[in-house]
Amino acid sequence: MSVNLTLLAVMGALYACGIYLLLERSLTRVLLGLMLLANATNLLILATGGYAGLAPFYAKDTPAQDYNDPLPQALILTSIVISFAVTAFMLGIIYRTWVLARQDEIQDDVEDLRVAETPSFDAEDDAEIPMETSEFPLTMVGGDGRSVSDQALTRSGGESAGSTIAAGAKRIDAIDAAAEEQPGSQNVTPGPEGGVK
């Protein structure tokens, strides 16, 4: 296969101009850059098809290498349709931007700038988390979680019941409050349906 240097030079110039325009802040220039990129891609696909040949119809006396490859033509047709749709979409965005803001340039978003300037360290999110984060006044003592206070709390029956803790307007035993922190609370009685009364 031979390469047409003129097509390659034009394609390279179109790609260079298209990428340059695509990096601009004006939506009209971005649209022109997309159109140049689409045309450069069409030339690239056309260059891969080689020189023009015979129409791709079957005949017994024509050798296969004399036929024209129909695949690049189908790909170019698809590329034209896609670039037309993207162009129409960009024209709609440009028109809407002009109606709303009377300007064509993309402005920096204030929220994006604030997020970009925020340091990656957040004092609240990256702080050390204590072992017990409960809102209850009692803390779990011991790695097993069975001891509930710094003094031995036991149930009645000759043993000390421990201190009391203020819970709203009333005071409750510390062991009952500690039992509330543990799974399977012991301070509620199940109702007839299995729920809590």
Side-chain angles (χ1 to χ4, degrees):
M1 173 181 139
S2 60
V3 178
N4 189 345
L5 291 178
T6 306
L7 277 180
L8 289 180
V10 171
M11 179 190 63
L14 286 176
Y15 269 124
C17 293
I19 290 173
Y20 176 76
L21 288 175
L22 198 63
L23 297 176
E24 293 287 326
R25 298 190 65 105
S26 171
L27 287 176
T28 306
R29 291 181 181 176
V30 169
L31 174 64
L32 291 175
L34 284 173
M35 293 169 61
L36 289 177
L37 286 177
N39 288 324
T41 304
N42 291 342
L43 286 179
L44 175 65
I45 295 172
L46 182 66
T48 60
Y51 285 114
L54 298 173
F57 296 119
Y58 177 72
K60 287 185 178 182
D61 55 346
T62 307
Q65 63 268 15
D66 290 343
Y67 287 126
N68 194 10
D69 189 9
L71 182 62
Q73 298 171 20
L75 291 176
I76 289 173
L77 183 61
T78 306
S79 174
I80 289 171
V81 171
I82 292 172
S83 63
F84 178 74
V86 170
T87 302
F89 178 70
M90 282 296 296
L91 281 173
I93 290 177
I94 292 170
Y95 174 74
R96 189 69 178 158
T97 304
W98 181 256
V99 166
L100 291 178
R102 291 286 186 227
Q103 62 184 355
D104 189 25
E105 289 199 8
I106 300 293
Q107 300 298 320
D108 287 331
D109 189 21
V110 178
E111 185 65 20
D112 287 343
L113 290 175
R114 187 190 65 78
V115 169
E117 293 172 356
T118 303
S120 61
F121 177 78
D122 187 8
E124 183 178 349
D125 290 341
D126 298 333
E128 294 270 337
I129 298 175
M131 182 178 282
E132 176 61 37
T133 58
S134 173
E135 297 175 5
F136 293 104
L138 286 179
T139 59
M140 305 299 268
V141 176
D144 59 355
R146 294 179 194 231
S147 303
V148 292
S149 134
D150 52 359
Q151 53 177 302
L153 296 177
T154 56
R155 204 27 116 175
S156 59
E159 299 149 2
S160 64
S163 61
T164 60
I165 294 176
K170 62 180 184 173
R171 297 192 66 81
I172 60 172
D173 289 335
I175 194 163
D176 292 334
E180 282 295 319
E181 285 193 40
Q182 297 175 351
S185 174
Q186 302 166 2
N187 290 346
V188 292
T189 56
E193 295 87 22
V196 177
K197 273 193 208 179

